[in-house]
Amino acid sequence: MDIHSLVKLTSRAWALDILAHMHAGVPGRQAALLTATGAGRTAFAASLQHLMGLGLVGRNSGHGHPIRPEFRLTQEGVAAAALAHRVLQAVPDGAQLGVLRKSWTVPVLALAQQPQRFSGLRAGLGAITDRALSASLQRLEAQDWVTREIDLSQRVPFPVYQAVNAGGEISRIVAMAA
């Protein structure tokens, strides 16, 4: 999956959770998915609509009640759901899953598989602001998913970021899917 598709996919908080649970066999009905993910109704509905807009999830025509429709993964959604499932499995502690729900977490980790400067990360992510990237990197450092080291090999020292621990595993999983 290319970085721009990954940015779009992860821009809604519960998108990865919905896909991962559908991949794991949770029925594609709103009530079942709400229970499995633990999401609030409004955020869940926005994430599901987002996935439908991306063409990863669609209504299963002819199944379910009109008020309670059933959803299924599209052909593109099957690959994205497998990726989402592997990414969520890489997080050993359920309390850390909240970090994955932040918009830029997975794309930043994807680019930080190799040591990267701040400017390299910003250029690779395109639409990210300096503030959003800085906040994401600080959050990932606090989680111990990214290391920040100062490169003294140049005249002007600069920080270099790299995914480690669970962040490194997520980075490898996303790289394998590319």
Side-chain angles (χ1 to χ4, degrees):
M1 176 176 287
D2 69 288
I3 193 69
H4 300 295
S5 298
L6 190 60
V7 168
K8 287 179 186 175
L9 172 62
T10 60
S11 66
R12 294 291 181 184
W14 295 95
L16 287 177
D17 291 86
I18 292 169
L19 289 174
H21 282 89
M22 289 181 80
H23 176 79
V26 174
R29 292 184 305 277
Q30 184 172 346
L33 288 169
L34 270 169
T35 302
T37 61
R41 287 189 183 279
T42 305
F44 175 86
S47 295
L48 187 60
Q49 286 295 95
H50 177 70
L51 290 171
M52 290 175 69
L54 292 176
L56 301 175
V57 174
R59 283 182 176 242
N60 192 358
S61 59
H63 289 82
H65 190 277
I67 297 175
R68 295 181 301 275
E70 185 173 284
F71 300 95
R72 62 174 176 73
L73 294 170
T74 63
Q75 188 173 359
E76 298 85 17
V78 171
L83 172 66
H85 183 73
R86 288 193 308 273
V87 166
L88 266 61
Q89 291 295 314
V91 179
D93 182 8
Q96 297 176 331
L97 287 176
V99 176
L100 284 178
R101 294 188 188 109
K102 301 292 183 181
S103 293
W104 294 102
T105 297
V106 177
V108 167
L109 290 172
L111 291 179
Q113 185 174 15
Q114 301 299 322
Q116 291 281 331
R117 292 176 76 164
F118 186 91
S119 59
L121 292 169
R122 186 181 62 220
L125 293 170
I128 195 168
T129 64
D130 289 346
R131 182 177 177 166
L133 179 56
S134 179
S136 293
L137 288 169
Q138 287 176 356
R139 187 179 314 110
L140 291 169
E141 282 182 81
Q143 198 68 39
D144 201 26
W145 287 5
V146 165
T147 60
R148 178 182 186 262
E149 297 187 12
I150 304 299
D151 186 342
L152 301 172
S153 66
Q154 304 292 321
R155 179 178 169 104
V156 177
F158 56 87
V160 177
Y161 302 92
Q162 185 170 8
V164 294
N165 302 325
E169 181 61 25
I170 292 167
S171 183
R172 284 186 287 282
I173 290 168
V174 173
M176 289 185 339

